[in-house]
Every structure is written in structure tokens, then in C-alpha cells.
Amino acid sequence: MIKICLINGDGIGKEVIPVAAEVLSALGLDIEFTEAFAGFEYFKQTGNAIPDATLAAVDAAGVAMFGATSSPSTKVDGYRSPILAMRKAFDLYANLRPVQSLPGSFSRPNLDLLIVRENTEGLYSGRERREGDTAIAERVITKRGSERIARIAFEQARKRISSQQSAFTVTIVHKANVLKVTDGLFRECCLQVAKEFPEVTVKEMLVDAMSMRLVRDPENFDVIVTTNLFGDILSDEASALIGGLGVAPSANIGQKVAVFEPVHGSAPDIAGQGVANPVGAILSAAMLLEHVGQSSQANRVRQAVNATLAQGILPRDLGGTAKTGEVTKAIVGNL
Ligand code: NAI
Ligand code: MG
């Protein structure tokens, strides 16, 4: 039996997670769903953005699907972003963000990228302070954090080599020419780990050049490994190559727990209208299946998504008129 904890969160999270669960249910596997709460709305009701009961439910299931939550850009006393809280609580150190071509004129062809983003440190370490008129953020990079993210990236490349029989490259993305100490350490650790994977080709690139290359010739990259903030930005940029935030899936992987979520946020501008694109959430569910050893079911889901898009059943953000429910129904039909 597969146990999955569902956390809708806010905004369109409430629309895309239930339909991702619908697709999972349609596979006919033995899945037990539990539901747990988190988010800004929940915070306004209860004073807690992510209760211990939710963390316990995720822990018990081992895998979770998470929608998105609305995080205010100003400081709200007592509020903490639930996804950041989960990344911390379960040490979800690896953020995997695949970018694969989809059938349709909204997507560039021949892309099969994987951005591996360090998820726990860097500029997101939470060490920010104000000293009078100066604001300071500390960028924490550790040897342990860098080595373990590099290892995941190289392992992913190795997996790709065995499944596709071709030479794969890991590109280490950093800014060590300026951030000599922090990114210097990150780069050094990645190059060290690379020695354990002689079959994988290693390249490195400065992050500013990488952001240009992602637009110019993204098909020339395989696995990209980078620090937290750079990975966050590059992966949103990369999602535009395949149709935008609505289609981009991701996984947050830890030692014991993994949380799968679409890359997009709560999209308050379209929430409640039934027009959210469910593909990012559904492809995240496919990543979950892969993670629990159900690769063929994961492929079934991906193929059903591709078939639906190829039939021209497109939600609004991809240029169509299909509602969330219509896209989902077609995907279930194509399974
Ligand atoms: P967003 O991803 O929510 O929306 C950006 C734009 O993309 C909007 O125009 C939205 O309508 C569109 N969009 C996003 N997902 C879509 C989908 N599935 N279908 C169709 N259109 C879609 O990012 P934004 O506007 O910067 O943030 C809104 C809220 O979400 C903020 O409170 C932010 O903190 C939160 N957020 C939460 C995340 C999380 O919980 N993991 C991640 C990113 C943002
Ligand atoms: Mg982001």
C-alpha cells in the first residue's frame, strides 16, 4: 500500500491537489490518502500556518503532495511559510525540478533538463537582520550540504545514462568568481563528488551565463546542480520554455520524507475560477510514483498528460479554454 498525505494549502492549491489525487486514484493502485492542513488561510483561522498534526501526518505517510500557500511579502508575526517549515522539519535538502518538452506550440522541443537545487541553505538560511539602515542576509554554504546535493545530481545523471544509453552531463552552476568563499566551497565539493562518477561528464558555468544559455540553447543541458536561490530563479525561468509555471513539477527529497509540489504558487489572481492548469500538480504526482518505485505508473501518467495536450485540450495559460476539471477528465480518460 502507498500512503500519501495531501496538503492543498491556499488558492489554486485547493483546485490542483484534489485533481492530482483523482488521477492517482484512477490508476487502480492500492493508495491510502490522508488529508492535512497548512497555509495562510489556516493561519488566519488558527494562528498556526502548519500545525504539528500536519507534520506528523506527513511523517507517518512518508510522501506528501503539497499545493501552494500564500506567503505575505511583509513580516506577519507568528507566520512561517509551510513549505519552508517542512523543508526544515524533514531536512528536504534536494529540490528536483525537471523540465521536459510537452507536445504543443507553447513548449520548445527536445528538452530534457533536470535542475537540482539545494533546498536548505544558501541565501534561504533565514539569517537576516537589520542593523540600523543596513540590512544583512547571511549566505550559508556547508561542505555537507554541498556534497549531498552534488551526490543526488550525479546519481540522477547516472540513472539517466542507464535508461537512455547516452552520455550525460552535470553542469555545476555557481558564481564563484564573485562569491569566492561560499560558492568556492560549493564548486569544490561538487567537483570532488564528481570523481565518484567517472561516467558522467562535468561542466561548470557562472549563473549569469547559465541564465542566458537557458534561453538560447537549453537543449544542450542535462542535469544542472546549483545553490538554493540560483536554483529557484533558474527553474522558474526554465519552466517558461515548456509553457510556464502551470506545467512545472517538483520534488523535495529528504532522507526519510519526500514532498511533491507544482512549482507555481497559490495564484490568487485566478483562484476559485476553476481555470488553474492542473498539469504541474499531476506531473508532480508522477514524480511521487517514480519515487515510490512505480516507474511504469509514472510513465502512464506522463503519457496521459502528453496525449491530452496533443489533443489540444489546453487550459487558459496554455492558450486554450479547457477548465481544470475538463483537462483532468481528459487525462484520466487517456490513462
Ligand atoms: P504564482 O505562481 O502563484 O503565480 C504567477 C502567475 O502564474 C500568476 O499570473 C498565476 O495566475 C499564474 N499561474 C501560476 N500557476 C498557474 C496554474 N497552475 N495555472 C494557470 N496559471 C498559473 O506566483 P506569485 O503570483 O508570485 O505568488 C502568489 C502567491 O503564491 C504568493 O503569496 C507567494 O508567496 C505564493 N507562492 C507559494 C509557493 C509555494 O507555496 N510553494 C511558491 C511560489 C509562490
Ligand atoms: Mg519559486
Side-chain angles (χ1 to χ4, degrees):
M1 196 198 21
I2 306 167
K3 285 187 182 176
I4 302 175
C5 179
L6 302 174
I7 306 170
N8 292 344
D10 298 312
I12 62 167
K14 291 192 192 333
E15 300 167 47
V16 298
I17 294 303
V19 305
E22 199 182 316
V23 172
L24 286 169
S25 299
L27 295 170
L29 295 168
D30 185 13
I31 301 179
E32 182 190 287
F33 292 106
T34 53
E35 208 182 325
F37 300 94
F40 195 59
E41 233 168 78
Y42 189 79
F43 171 76
K44 283 189 286 189
Q45 286 162 17
T46 65
N48 193 345
I50 177 157
D52 289 342
T54 293
L55 294 175
V58 173
D59 195 29
V63 289
M65 289 286 306
F66 173 78
T69 56
S70 300
S71 291
S73 291
T74 49
K75 208 169 182 315
V76 175
D77 277 336
Y79 182 80
R80 53 176 182 156
S81 158
I83 188 67
L84 294 184
M86 276 193 283
R87 284 175 187 163
K88 235 193 178 87
F90 300 116
D91 197 18
L92 303 174
Y93 64 93
N95 195 220
L96 308 184
R97 296 185 166 194
V99 179
Q100 277 170 336
S101 291
L102 293 168
S105 56
F106 53 83
S107 170
R108 302 248 296 245
N110 306 322
L111 294 184
D112 190 6
L113 278 177
L114 176 67
I115 297 182
V116 180
R117 161 192 173 193
E118 202 294 322
N119 220 9
T120 56
E121 43 187 44
L123 264 174
Y124 291 7
S125 304
R127 298 203 197 167
E128 271 199 306
R129 64 184 188 276
R130 181 82 184 255
E131 293 178 1
D133 286 343
T134 303
I136 299 166
E138 285 179 299
R139 185 170 193 266
V140 181
I141 300 286
T142 67
K143 186 164 180 274
R144 170 172 174 268
S146 304
E147 282 176 356
R148 66 180 182 174
I149 196 68
R151 199 156 279 119
I152 288 256
F154 282 96
E155 277 164 6
Q156 289 287 328
R158 177 176 275 169
K159 241 200 216 158
R160 290 170 154 237
I161 291 172
S162 58
S163 64
Q164 304 180 24
Q165 312 288 325
S166 57
F168 267 88
T169 304
V170 170
T171 305
I172 307 163
V173 174
H174 58 74
K175 190 74 185 175
N177 56 335
V178 177
L179 303 167
K180 288 186 201 304
V181 179
T182 49
D183 265 359
L185 177 61
F186 178 75
R187 171 181 179 272
E188 202 180 289
C189 291
C190 290
L191 289 172
Q192 195 61 36
V193 169
K195 291 184 186 155
E196 299 164 25
F197 298 83
E199 73 275 41
V200 180
T201 309
V202 195
K203 287 188 185 153
E204 55 180 307
M205 190 162 295
L206 297 174
V207 64
D208 38 356
M210 185 69 237
S211 58
M212 184 275 288
R213 295 287 303 273
L214 258 187
V215 175
R216 200 183 68 183
D217 60 332
E219 55 286 338
N220 287 331
F221 295 88
D222 301 318
V223 176
I224 289 170
V225 62
T226 190
T227 52
N228 206 339
L229 175 65
F230 295 161
D232 193 6
I233 299 170
L234 289 177
S235 55
D236 274 28
E237 184 192 350
S239 76
L241 302 168
I242 54 164
L245 284 172
V247 299
S250 78
N252 299 277
I253 311 272
Q255 215 61 263
K256 187 166 165 265
V257 165
V259 178
F260 299 81
E261 51 159 347
V263 172
H264 64 73
S266 59
D269 55 335
I270 58 162
Q273 299 175 28
V275 297
N277 185 344
V279 167
I282 291 168
L283 292 177
S284 301
M287 292 182 82
L288 183 155
L289 290 167
E290 191 94 53
H291 182 79
V292 298
Q294 296 281 349
S295 296
S296 62
Q297 297 292 342
N299 283 334
R300 223 179 125 197
V301 171
R302 289 190 195 108
Q303 278 161 15
V305 166
N306 283 350
T308 303
L309 299 175
Q311 286 160 351
I313 302 169
L314 305 177
R316 206 163 71 181
D317 61 319
L318 300 180
T321 55
K323 298 271 221 171
T324 311
E326 292 164 338
V327 178
T328 308
K329 198 168 162 231
I331 292 172
V332 169
N334 277 320
L335 278 173

